[in-house]
């Protein structure tokens, strides 16, 4: 009977196994001493074995390189003699290793025959293992040594990794694509949350659509569509640094902030357009161009407008802006900013203006710009985008003069590089940097039916065009390269939003919805209708149906209630407790006798004089009010015709 310790054995005879007990238990190995293992020794042996294996791999690789060099020399000397020495060496080494393995196996078998052990057999010894180490120190079998082919594959993988580091074009995820149909008009805004789970698109059709990569299937349908700014084109969409709010900039003068589900959080106030100094108004007074969230401070964002101002806002205070930047020309005249952005650390505010200048302010000093380059792009052209690199030292500007330029913030006196021949026809054509800061990406515009829009990649160090992609037969307006997903989102002029990815280089995003099959609509739900079954419609409550209608009519004739003749309507005021046709209430009487009395007096004078004698005999309204103040009549009395005839002279009577 064993105790709790791994190596203690108790019984009638502690010196050896009891044969009677072994016979009783049913197997011969019962009672023998158990084998103990030292884990530290096993780990140490494993470490030594790994070191030895690595050393052998390096030696084999060096030998192979030497052999390759010898072959190259022999080829150069045009020596065609067979080189069998190398193969003989390898063959001898393999033979030697096999002999060592066989000898170690024989020694192990001889050792194990002396003392029987309980459990599976131990693994064989490795070649070159010291003899003083115990067999129990080996922790399982080791993997087989690498072949020459596997070593060559590892070398090729290392070379490919070095090539990718040297050539940034290999990191472009352009092997696969999916197409999200936003609508039929231009996709003018793209936004992707920091985690890369949701994409939001906006366009000239006033719609904002939400796409969830984890919830979509192969049908690629948006899970929500709304019009947050009514009949205004969407110009910019951007997720906050926390991903819980979206800044919506449209053609109106008021920017909006919505949450992840599309519900409005705040709306900026509109300023007074009759005030001359725009710094004294509480908000923008003209159409907006673009907006951007602060990269560090939660709830702060920036907008620029046609009222020649750049304003900073806070979500908690929508009734008034936080600060106002007023771009000015060298002569001090106001100029309209067409785009704006924050630096990566949030300390600088950059804006490009319609006169071709780029102005950069310190975020806390709103009066004079810290950097001002007056002819960055051609005057009169709208610079559509300015973007900072991830290291914060380089600024890229996409001009309306079909150029893309790089600027060093530390020496803001001339552009580092400039690329031309990049046509643009949209005021929001943007540019961006790759996640490793080695490439600059922008899109090109084309006329309808005159080619295809392209996505062009420039190397940041030399500004050489290293790659371009044909997107679609329309202009490329928006481009976005997400650093976590390593996927490129593109908005086009024909209402499409495309996502480019690589299964090996990209993470999540479009890879989540591509693998899901499109869900089929259930036919039972589409063909059948929903019925509402009441309890009395069930068969157990249903009344028995009469087969013959004649019998039912005879029964109804015998029923006094059903065969009773209804009373005719009452004519007149009513009798027998029944109300007449017009009812017996006061309201019905008034309607019948007064309200509906439409007596029309043809002569209104006669209608008035009809009450003249009653008013004279019994004055009630007007006459008593003037009885004391009424003046006495001073007019002469008019004689009647009879009296006049009596008073006529005689000569007139005879003449008549």
């Amino acid at each position: 009977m064993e105790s709790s310790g791994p190596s203690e054995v108790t019984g009638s005879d502690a010196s050896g196994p009891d044969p009677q007990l072994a016979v009783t238990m049913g197997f011969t190995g019962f009672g023998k001493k158990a084998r103990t293992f030292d884990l530290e020794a096993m780990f140490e042996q494993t470490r030594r074995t790994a070191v030895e294996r690595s050393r052998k791999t390096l030696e084999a690789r060096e030998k192979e390189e030497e052999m390759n060099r010898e072959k190259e020399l022999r080829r150069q000397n045009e020596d065609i003699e067979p080189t069998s020495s190398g193969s003989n060496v390898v063959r001898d080494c393999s033979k030697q290793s096999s002999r060592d393995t066989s000898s170690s196996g024989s020694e192990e078998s001889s050792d194990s025959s002396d003392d029987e052990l309980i459990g599976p057999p131990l693994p064989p010894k490795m070649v070159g293992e010291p003899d003083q180490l115990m067999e129990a120190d080996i922790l399982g079998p080791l993997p087989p040594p690498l072949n020459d082919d596997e070593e060559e594959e590892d070398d090729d993988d290392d070379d490919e990794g070095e090539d990718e580091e040297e050539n940034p074009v290999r990191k472009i995820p352009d092997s696969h694509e999916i197409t999200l149909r936003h609508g039929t008009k231009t996709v003018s805004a793209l936004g992707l949350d920091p985690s890369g789970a949701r994409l939001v698109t906006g366009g000239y059709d006033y719609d904002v659509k939400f796409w969830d990569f984890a919830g979509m299937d192969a049908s690629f349908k948006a899970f929500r569509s709304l019009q947050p700014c009514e009949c205004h084109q969407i110009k910019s969409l951007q997720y906050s640094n926390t991903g819980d709010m979206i800044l919506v900039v449209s053609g109106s003068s008021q920017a909006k902030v919505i949450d992840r589900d599309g519900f409005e959080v705040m709306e900026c106030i509109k300023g007074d357009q009759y005030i001359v100094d725009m710094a004294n108004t509480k908000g923008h007074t003209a159409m907006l161009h673009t907006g951007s969230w602060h990269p560090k401070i939660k709830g702060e964002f920036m907008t620029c407008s046609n009222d020649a101002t750049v304003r900073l806002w806070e979500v908690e205070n929508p009734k008034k802006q936080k600060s106002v930047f007023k771009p000015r020309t060298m002569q001090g005249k106001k100029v309209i900013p067409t785009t704006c952005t924050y630096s990566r650390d949030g300390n600088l505010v950059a804006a490009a203006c319609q006169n071709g200048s780029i102005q950069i302010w310190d975020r806390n000093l709103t009066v004079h710009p810290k950097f001002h380059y007056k002819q960055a792009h051609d005057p009169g052209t709208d610079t559509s985008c300015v973007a900072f690199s991830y290291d914060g030292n380089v600024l890229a500007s996409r001009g309306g003069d079909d150029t893309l330029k790089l600027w060093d913030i530390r020496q803001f006196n001339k552009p580092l590089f400039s690329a031309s021949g990049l046509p643009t026809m949209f005021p929001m054509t943007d540019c961006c940097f790759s996640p490793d800061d080695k490439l600059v990406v922008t899109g090109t515009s084309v006329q309808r039916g005159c080619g295809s829009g392209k996505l062009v990649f420039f190397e940041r160090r030399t500004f050489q065009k290293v790659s371009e992609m044909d997107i679609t037969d329309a202009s490329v307006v928006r481009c976005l390269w997400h650093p976590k997903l390593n996927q490129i989102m593109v908005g086009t002029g024909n209402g499409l939003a495309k996502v480019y990815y690589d299964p090996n280089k990209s993470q999540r995003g479009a890879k989540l919805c591509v693998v899901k099959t499109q869900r089929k609509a259930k036919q039972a739900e589409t063909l059948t209708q929903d019925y509402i079954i009441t309890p009395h419609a069930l068969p157990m409550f249903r009344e028995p149906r009469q087969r013959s209608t004649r019998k039912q009519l005879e029964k109804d004739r015998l029923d006094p209630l059903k065969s009773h003749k209804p009373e005719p309507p009452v004519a007149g005021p009513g009798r027998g407790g029944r109300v007449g046709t017009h009812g017996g209430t006061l309201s019905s009487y008034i309607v019948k006798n007064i309200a509906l009395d439409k007596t029309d007096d043809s002569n209104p004078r006669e209608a008035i004089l009809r009450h003249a004698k009653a008013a004279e005999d019994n004055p009630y309204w007007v006459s008593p009010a003037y009885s004391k103040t009424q003046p006495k009549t001073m007019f002469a009395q008019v004689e009647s015709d009879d009296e006049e005839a009596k008073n006529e002279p005689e000569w007139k009577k005879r003449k008549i």
Side-chain angles (χ1 to χ4, degrees):
M1 178 176 174
E2 293 184 0
S3 65
S4 60
S7 60
E8 295 181 1
V9 179
T10 60
S12 60
D13 188 5
S15 61
D18 188 0
Q20 187 65 27
L21 186 60
V23 173
T24 304
M25 296 302 295
F27 53 92
T28 59
F30 186 81
K32 290 182 179 287
K33 184 178 180 181
R35 185 72 177 273
T36 59
F37 298 93
D38 190 357
L39 295 179
E40 295 181 358
M42 291 180 180
F43 291 143
E44 182 65 23
Q45 176 60 24
T46 304
R47 187 185 66 79
R48 292 180 182 179
T49 305
V51 172
E52 184 68 19
R53 180 186 172 202
S54 302
R55 184 180 61 79
K56 288 184 178 182
T57 303
L58 292 175
E59 289 178 357
R61 190 172 297 174
E62 290 176 358
K63 287 182 181 180
E64 185 179 358
E65 291 178 356
E66 291 178 0
M67 291 172 61
N68 292 334
R69 283 196 293 270
E70 290 177 0
K71 289 180 180 180
E72 291 294 334
L73 292 174
R74 289 174 183 175
R75 288 176 184 173
Q76 291 177 1
N77 297 331
E78 295 180 355
D79 189 4
I80 318 176
E81 294 181 0
T83 58
S84 59
S85 60
S87 59
N88 293 334
V89 172
V90 177
R91 193 178 299 111
D92 295 340
C93 293
S94 62
K95 289 181 180 179
Q96 182 67 25
S97 62
S98 63
R99 284 198 297 271
D100 295 340
T101 306
S102 61
S103 62
S104 63
S106 61
E107 291 176 0
E108 183 182 353
S109 61
S110 62
D111 294 339
S112 61
S113 62
D114 297 337
D115 188 11
E116 294 183 0
L117 299 178
I118 300 174
L122 294 174
K125 284 187 177 182
M126 294 296 295
V127 178
E129 183 182 358
D131 297 335
Q132 61 268 20
L133 294 175
M134 297 178 61
E135 298 174 0
D137 295 338
I138 301 177
L139 189 65
L142 292 173
L146 291 174
N147 298 329
D148 296 339
D149 297 338
E150 295 178 356
E151 293 177 2
E152 291 177 359
E153 291 179 359
D154 293 341
D155 295 341
D156 295 340
D157 295 340
D158 296 339
D159 295 339
E160 290 179 0
E162 294 176 358
D163 293 341
E164 286 186 359
E165 292 179 358
E166 295 176 359
N167 188 7
V169 180
R170 293 175 178 261
K171 295 184 179 181
I172 300 176
D174 57 351
S175 60
H176 295 69
E177 67 171 302
I178 64 172
T179 301
L180 309 177
R181 180 165 291 280
H182 173 85
T184 58
K185 296 186 178 181
T186 301
V187 177
S188 56
L190 285 177
L192 196 60
D193 67 341
S195 63
R198 285 188 178 182
L199 174 69
V200 59
T201 60
Y204 281 3
D205 55 358
Y206 322 131
D207 289 339
V208 173
K209 292 190 176 182
F210 294 79
W211 315 80
D212 190 356
F213 290 118
M216 280 194 303
D217 55 9
S219 61
F220 306 132
K221 293 182 179 179
F223 74 91
R224 183 160 296 154
S225 178
L226 52 95
Q227 291 184 357
C229 301
E230 297 179 351
C231 297
H232 293 285
Q233 295 176 352
I234 307 299
K235 295 195 172 184
S236 176
L237 293 171
Q238 187 179 4
Y239 274 91
S240 61
N241 52 1
T242 55
D244 58 344
M245 292 181 290
I246 304 172
L247 174 61
V248 181
V249 177
S250 64
S252 67
S253 60
Q254 298 172 270
K256 286 188 177 182
V257 176
I258 60 177
D259 60 6
R260 288 176 60 88
D261 297 324
F263 297 101
E264 183 176 327
V265 177
M266 64 89 71
E267 183 180 13
C268 298
I269 193 172
K270 185 177 181 180
D272 189 354
Q273 58 186 351
Y274 297 104
I275 296 178
V276 177
D277 189 1
M278 286 292 105
N280 295 329
T281 62
K282 298 180 180 180
H284 288 293
T285 60
M287 178 185 68
L288 298 175
H289 285 291
T290 187
S292 177
W293 287 99
H294 193 284
K296 303 293 183 183
I297 301 176
K298 181 180 179 181
E300 180 180 327
F301 62 93
M302 168 178 53
T303 56
C304 65
S305 169
N306 262 359
D307 60 2
T309 60
V310 177
R311 300 176 188 263
L312 303 186
W313 302 82
E314 289 181 340
V315 176
E316 292 80 8
N317 187 17
K319 298 301 181 182
K320 187 178 181 180
Q321 75 274 347
K322 183 179 180 182
S323 56
V324 181
F325 300 90
K326 296 187 291 184
R328 291 291 184 264
T329 62
M330 287 299 184
Q331 293 78 22
K333 298 180 180 179
K334 67 169 65 174
V335 62
I336 296 176
T338 57
T339 183
C340 59
T341 187
Y342 281 101
S343 60
R344 293 292 176 178
D345 56 2
N347 294 329
L348 299 178
V349 173
C353 305
Q354 281 186 347
N355 64 343
S357 64
I358 295 179
Q359 304 182 27
I360 301 177
W361 294 268
D362 190 327
R363 175 177 162 273
N364 299 320
L365 301 175
T366 63
V367 180
H368 298 291
K370 188 175 182 180
F371 305 104
H372 187 178
Y373 194 83
K374 60 181 180 180
Q375 291 182 351
H377 294 277
D378 292 345
T381 60
D382 293 347
T383 302
S384 58
C385 179
V386 287
F388 281 90
S389 61
Y390 286 94
D391 58 12
N393 296 327
V394 177
L395 178 71
S397 62
R398 182 71 164 93
D401 53 358
D402 301 342
T403 60
L404 176 66
K405 295 183 180 181
L406 284 188
W407 309 81
D408 193 343
I409 301 300
R410 297 163 293 186
Q411 297 178 354
F412 200 69
N413 51 9
K414 62 178 181 179
L416 293 176
F417 303 102
S418 177
S420 59
L422 303 171
T424 174
M425 295 182 294
F426 292 89
M428 64 280 298
T429 302
D430 57 358
C431 59
C432 63
F433 286 85
S434 62
D436 57 359
D437 255 357
K438 294 183 179 180
L439 296 175
V440 184
V441 190
T442 188
T444 62
S445 302
V446 293
Q447 295 286 347
R448 181 174 296 180
C450 298
S452 59
K454 297 180 180 180
L455 198 64
V456 188
F457 297 83
F458 294 91
E459 189 177 2
R460 172 185 165 181
R461 185 168 50 87
T462 61
F463 220 61
Q464 297 292 327
K465 185 167 69 172
V466 294
S467 178
E468 64 179 20
M469 297 165 51
D470 290 337
I471 304 300
T472 182
D473 56 352
S475 301
V476 176
V477 182
R478 289 286 187 177
C479 60
L480 178 65
W481 196 335
H482 198 271
K484 289 186 178 180
L485 302 184
N486 194 25
Q487 297 179 11
I488 301 175
M489 286 69 181
V490 179
T492 64
N494 56 357
L496 302 179
K498 293 197 172 186
V499 182
Y500 290 87
Y501 67 98
D502 191 310
N504 300 323
K505 303 170 187 175
S506 302
Q507 306 293 331
R508 302 188 305 276
K511 295 171 60 178
L512 299 177
C513 56
V514 170
V515 297
K516 296 182 181 179
T517 58
Q518 185 173 354
R519 291 188 291 267
K520 295 182 179 179
K522 296 181 180 180
Q523 296 183 357
E525 296 179 358
T526 57
L527 298 180
T528 61
Q529 297 179 354
D530 295 334
Y531 292 97
I532 300 175
I533 300 177
T534 59
H536 294 284
L538 298 176
M540 60 183 300
F541 297 104
R542 192 175 301 164
E543 295 180 358
R545 182 180 178 183
Q546 296 291 336
R547 295 184 179 180
S548 176
T549 58
R550 184 175 59 84
K551 294 182 179 180
Q552 183 66 29
L553 292 175
E554 292 177 356
K555 289 183 178 181
D556 294 342
R557 177 63 65 183
L558 298 177
D559 190 352
L561 295 178
K562 292 183 179 181
S563 62
H564 178 69
K565 179 183 178 182
E567 296 290 339
V570 179
R575 63 180 182 275
R578 298 179 62 188
V579 182
T581 308
H582 297 286
T585 60
L586 177 63
S587 60
S588 63
Y589 175 79
I590 292 173
V591 170
K592 180 180 178 182
N593 297 293
I594 298 175
L596 297 181
D597 187 10
K598 298 181 179 180
T599 304
D600 186 14
D601 295 325
S602 58
N603 191 351
R605 183 173 180 276
E606 293 180 357
I608 295 174
L609 293 177
R610 187 183 305 163
H611 307 282
K613 185 171 181 57
E616 184 178 357
D617 296 341
N618 187 18
Y620 182 77
W621 296 106
V622 179
S623 298
Y626 298 98
S627 60
K628 296 181 179 181
T629 60
Q630 186 71 22
K632 295 181 179 180
T633 306
M634 302 298 294
F635 301 104
Q637 294 293 331
V638 178
E639 296 180 356
S640 62
D641 295 340
D642 296 339
E643 293 178 354
E644 288 180 358
K646 290 178 181 180
N647 296 329
E648 267 187 3
E650 291 295 333
W651 60 273
K652 284 187 177 181
K653 294 180 180 179
R654 287 194 299 267
K655 187 177 182 179
I656 294 173

